[in-house]
């Protein structure tokens, strides 16, 4: 594991991560101070403490906090993928699963380092009277345990899960109250409406009422987090990039661009792309069996790169891809192919008039379009939408250095798309912001206007607002 971690330095006011971002790493504070916004409170973490420790438990866990550097800070970074890959390589996955049941379910605290007793937000050291503490100043176990829980070989029945949840969050005194209103398992608790719990419980003293308030906050946070969790199987079937092209004119160029994109992603450390997606860069001529399958793949794409060759907009398959992308809010990135004989030529002024007057496609092509519910006016609108601003070139016959620079320019335009938000909101391309994100989703993110991300941070780590590499996915 020591060979897979690295040290990094972040400047004051750097946003280490924002709420809802993926848990890509856990961080140990070697030196410095970080502010963690959790449960409507701000807590400070200093030398010898951990932040983001839940990344050890699950790779699919989303962040429930926002973390900002209060001062220049040195961190040891433990990448989530590296940790779980190591467990797999060493055959430790089953042992780790048992350890989660017997220890991690009961608590994992980044502040004091305790495992199996409490979670970070209820650490005794963060409570009134709790003294600041460093790992180097006291032996392990220095925090006095106020409760004990022995689950033997693990969580053997449903009531154990509830008991472990209450124990880890210092809420065990609520167990009799919960049982009184018919909540005996974790499933029973999750099935209740959080805000109604206090009313169901009836009159309570102040100490129990404050614990119920914490329980409600935890349940609401859990529900919000579960909404944001990726369905791994669904994500794997998506594509980060779909290369749309006319095979006769740009088939070789598309294959070359795909290869150079993959190389670029690996060079800049975006290996996670190849873990999240079965086929991160999709070339429609390689794997496709039908036009229906093509439409489905376009709908599951984050970015459609349209390779503009001389006849690409006269091919019905390419047009179906384009219209499907527009209808499903897929980001479209047009790229001119610079190739003698079949390179892109700007459209004539009367092209759209000819198109809607049936002077561009033949009968067979129009029949294909109609079979997919696409009119000639739909085609004209989609082309106008896609070709509003063509700024990128790809020159397959130029040097490798030139091509690499052109591919970098294309990659810089790629954005991850919020697939779930777009489906849920029913948004269209007209009301989507940068990166295909709905205004409701974008505006719901916490904003910290006074905080900045340093150039080193932008170069070394992705953030949801600054850099759109695979880590942002």
């Amino acid at each position: 594991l020591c060979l897979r971690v690295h040290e990094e330095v972040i400047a004051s006011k750097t946003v280490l991560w924002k709420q809802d971002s993926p848990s890509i790493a856990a961080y140990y504070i070697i030196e410095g101070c970080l502010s963690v916004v959790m449960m409507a409170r701000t807590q400070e973490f200093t030398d010898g403490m951990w932040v983001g420790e839940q990344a050890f438990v699950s790779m699919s866990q989303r962040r429930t906090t926002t973390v900002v550097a209060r001062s220049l800070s040195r961190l040891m970074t433990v990448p989530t993928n590296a940790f779980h890959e190591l467990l797999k390589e060493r055959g430790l996955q089953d042992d780790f699963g048992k350890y989660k049941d017997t220890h991690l379910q009961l608590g994992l605290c980044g502040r004091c380092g305790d495992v199996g007793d409490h979670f970070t937000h209820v650490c005794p050291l963060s409570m009134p009277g709790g003294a600041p503490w460093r790992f180097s100043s006291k032996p392990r176990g220095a925090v006095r345990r106020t409760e004990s829980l022995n689950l033997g070989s693990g969580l053997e029945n449903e009531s154990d899960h509830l008991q472990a949840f209450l124990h880890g969050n210092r809420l065990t005194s609520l167990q009799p109250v919960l049982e009184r209103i018919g909540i005996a398992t974790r499933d029973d608790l999750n099935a209740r409406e959080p805000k109604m719990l206090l009313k169901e419980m009836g009159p309570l003293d102040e100490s129990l009422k404050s614990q119920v308030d914490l329980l409600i906050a935890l349940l609401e946070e859990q529900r919000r987090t579960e909404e944001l969790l990726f369905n791994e199987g669904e994500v794997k079937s998506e594509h980060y990039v779909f290369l749309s092209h006319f095979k006769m004119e740009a088939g070789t160029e598309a294959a070359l661009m795909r290869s150079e994109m993959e190389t670029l992603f690996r060079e800049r450390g975006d290996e996670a792309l190849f873990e999240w997606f079965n086929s991160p860069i999709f070339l429609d001529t390689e794997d496709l069996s039908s036009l229906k399958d093509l439409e489905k793949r376009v709908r599951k794409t984050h970015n459609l790169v349209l390779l503009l060759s001389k006849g690409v907009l006269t091919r019905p398959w390419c047009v179906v891809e384009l219209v499907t992308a527009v209808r499903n809010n897929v980001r479209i990135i047009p790229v001119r192919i610079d190739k003698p004989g079949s390179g892109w030529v700007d459209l004539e002024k009367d092209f759209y008039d000819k198109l809607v007057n049936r002077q561009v496609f033949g009968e067979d092509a129009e029949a294909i379009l109609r079979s997919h519910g696409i009119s000639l006016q739909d085609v004209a609108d989609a082309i106008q939408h896609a070709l509003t601003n063509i700024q990128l070139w790809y020159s397959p016959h130029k040097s490798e250095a030139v091509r690499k620079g052109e591919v970098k320019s294309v990659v810089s335009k790629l954005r991850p798309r919020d697939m779930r938000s777009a489906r849920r909101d029913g948004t269209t391309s007209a009301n989507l912001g940068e990166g295909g994100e709905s205004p409701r989703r974008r505006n719901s993110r916490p904003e910290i206007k006074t905080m900045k991300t340093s150039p080193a941070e932008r170069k070394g780590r992705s953030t949801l607002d600054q850099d759109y590499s695979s880590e942002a996915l």
Side-chain angles (χ1 to χ4, degrees):
L1 183 60
C2 291
L3 297 175
R4 304 190 185 205
V5 305
H6 60 272
E7 179 182 326
E8 56 184 299
V9 179
I10 60 174
S12 174
K13 299 184 181 180
T14 296
V15 179
L16 189 61
W17 73 70
K18 284 190 175 184
Q19 189 177 16
D20 300 342
S21 60
S23 299
I24 61 172
Y27 302 91
Y28 174 78
I29 305 172
I30 301 171
E31 182 181 12
C33 181
L34 303 179
S35 283
V36 179
V37 182
M38 66 167 76
M39 305 290 295
R41 294 187 302 165
T42 300
Q43 297 184 3
E44 290 190 359
F45 286 70
T46 55
D47 307 5
M49 299 179 182
W50 286 85
V51 293
E53 67 278 356
Q54 286 296 328
F56 290 126
V57 179
S58 172
M59 290 189 290
S60 60
Q61 184 74 38
R62 306 288 290 186
R63 303 290 195 192
T64 60
T65 60
T66 296
V67 176
V68 183
R70 291 293 302 272
S71 63
L72 183 70
S73 301
R74 291 172 55 227
L75 309 174
M76 178 179 72
T77 302
V78 185
T80 306
N81 287 338
F83 175 71
H84 287 276
E85 283 172 5
L86 189 58
L87 292 176
K88 185 177 180 181
E89 288 175 12
R90 300 295 179 180
L92 296 172
Q93 288 174 301
D94 290 341
D95 290 337
F96 185 68
K98 294 175 183 176
Y99 188 73
K100 285 199 291 186
D101 282 349
T102 57
H103 292 78
L104 300 183
Q105 289 265 15
L106 308 180
L108 178 62
C109 182
R111 181 175 292 277
C112 71
D114 199 288
V115 175
D117 185 62
H118 59 269
F119 291 102
T120 304
H121 63 276
V122 289
C123 178
L125 294 181
S126 65
M127 302 302 174
W133 184 66
R134 307 288 187 273
F135 278 138
S136 58
S137 62
K138 289 187 180 181
R140 267 193 67 79
V143 178
R144 180 175 63 85
R145 295 184 177 226
T146 57
E147 307 171 63
S148 62
L149 182 63
N150 181 13
L151 294 178
S153 60
L155 306 180
E156 297 179 351
N157 55 60
E158 290 301 319
S159 62
D160 285 345
H161 287 275
L162 177 61
Q163 193 178 2
F165 171 76
L166 296 175
H167 171 87
N169 291 288
R170 285 293 185 269
L171 298 172
T172 50
S173 58
L174 288 180
Q175 189 161 355
V177 183
L178 293 173
E179 290 175 352
R180 193 177 69 221
I181 61 173
I183 297 177
T185 68
R186 185 72 186 272
D187 287 341
D188 293 340
L189 182 61
N190 291 339
R192 300 295 180 94
E193 183 60 38
K195 292 182 179 180
M196 297 299 294
L197 284 175
L198 195 57
K199 185 177 181 180
E200 291 183 53
M201 291 177 181
L204 298 171
D205 61 41
E206 286 302 316
S207 63
L208 284 178
K209 187 177 178 181
S210 64
Q211 291 199 19
V212 175
D213 290 338
L214 174 59
L215 176 62
I216 291 172
L218 287 169
L219 292 175
E220 290 179 340
E221 182 69 26
Q222 174 186 302
R223 289 192 176 187
R224 188 189 59 78
T225 301
E226 286 173 351
E227 286 183 1
L228 295 168
L229 285 176
F230 284 118
N231 180 306
E232 187 173 350
E234 184 178 346
V235 172
K236 281 187 174 294
S237 67
E238 296 171 4
H239 308 292
Y240 191 46
V241 180
F242 187 110
L243 293 177
S244 178
H245 65 287
F246 178 19
K247 184 178 179 180
M248 294 297 293
E249 295 179 347
T252 302
E253 289 71 18
L256 181 61
M257 176 177 278
R258 176 182 181 176
S259 175
E260 292 179 333
M261 272 189 177
E262 288 178 345
T263 300
L264 179 60
F265 284 134
R266 294 186 189 279
E267 284 179 352
R268 71 181 204 173
D270 286 342
E271 295 290 342
L273 268 180
F274 302 94
E275 296 175 15
W276 276 110
F277 304 110
N278 289 329
S279 181
I281 305 174
F282 186 79
L283 204 55
D284 61 324
T285 56
E286 288 189 5
D287 312 285
L288 220 50
S289 57
S290 70
L291 197 51
K292 285 291 184 184
D293 188 28
L294 182 149
E295 287 183 284
K296 181 179 178 181
R297 291 183 182 274
V298 172
R299 286 194 293 270
K300 289 189 171 186
T301 292
H302 292 254
N303 301 273
L304 184 135
V305 176
L306 177 62
L307 300 186
L308 295 173
S309 59
K310 187 176 181 179
V312 66
L313 298 180
T314 64
R315 307 303 300 172
W317 280 48
C318 297
V319 169
V320 169
E321 293 172 3
L322 181 60
V323 174
T324 303
V326 171
R327 286 177 173 177
N328 291 276
N329 314 313
V330 177
R331 184 179 181 83
I332 300 171
I333 302 168
V335 181
R336 290 173 179 256
I337 297 297
D338 183 13
K339 180 181 177 182
S342 57
W344 172 251
V345 178
D346 289 332
L347 298 177
E348 298 176 357
K349 291 183 179 180
D350 60 349
F351 172 82
Y352 295 104
D353 291 333
K354 289 181 178 179
L355 174 59
V356 295
N357 290 321
R358 305 182 63 185
Q359 299 176 32
V360 173
F361 296 105
E363 286 292 335
D364 292 342
E366 289 187 14
I368 291 175
L369 296 176
R370 285 195 300 272
S371 69
H372 290 273
I374 298 174
S375 68
L376 294 179
Q377 187 59 55
D378 292 335
V379 176
D381 293 342
I383 293 175
Q384 285 182 309
H385 172 80
L387 305 188
T388 301
N389 190 15
I390 307 173
Q391 297 178 334
L392 302 172
W393 293 76
Y394 185 62
S395 309
H397 299 296
K398 291 186 179 179
S399 67
E400 182 180 351
V402 171
R403 291 199 313 273
K404 186 174 182 179
E406 291 174 336
V407 170
K408 277 187 177 181
S409 297
V410 175
V411 168
S412 71
K413 299 293 184 180
L414 303 179
R415 301 288 187 272
R417 171 183 169 217
D418 191 332
M419 311 288 273
R420 296 154 294 137
S421 176
R423 286 195 295 269
R424 182 172 63 247
D425 297 346
T427 49
T428 63
S429 57
N431 58 23
L432 285 173
E434 186 79 352
E437 186 172 58
S438 70
R440 182 170 74 85
R441 170 78 172 166
R442 185 173 62 250
N443 293 338
S444 68
R445 285 188 177 155
E447 293 296 331
I448 306 178
K449 297 181 179 180
T450 61
M451 299 172 184
K452 301 176 182 179
T453 304
S454 67
E457 168 75 359
R458 290 195 297 272
K459 181 178 180 182
R461 184 196 308 107
S462 296
T463 62
L464 289 178
D465 296 334
Q466 300 283 349
D467 184 11
Y468 292 84
S469 69
S470 64
E471 289 181 348
L473 290 172

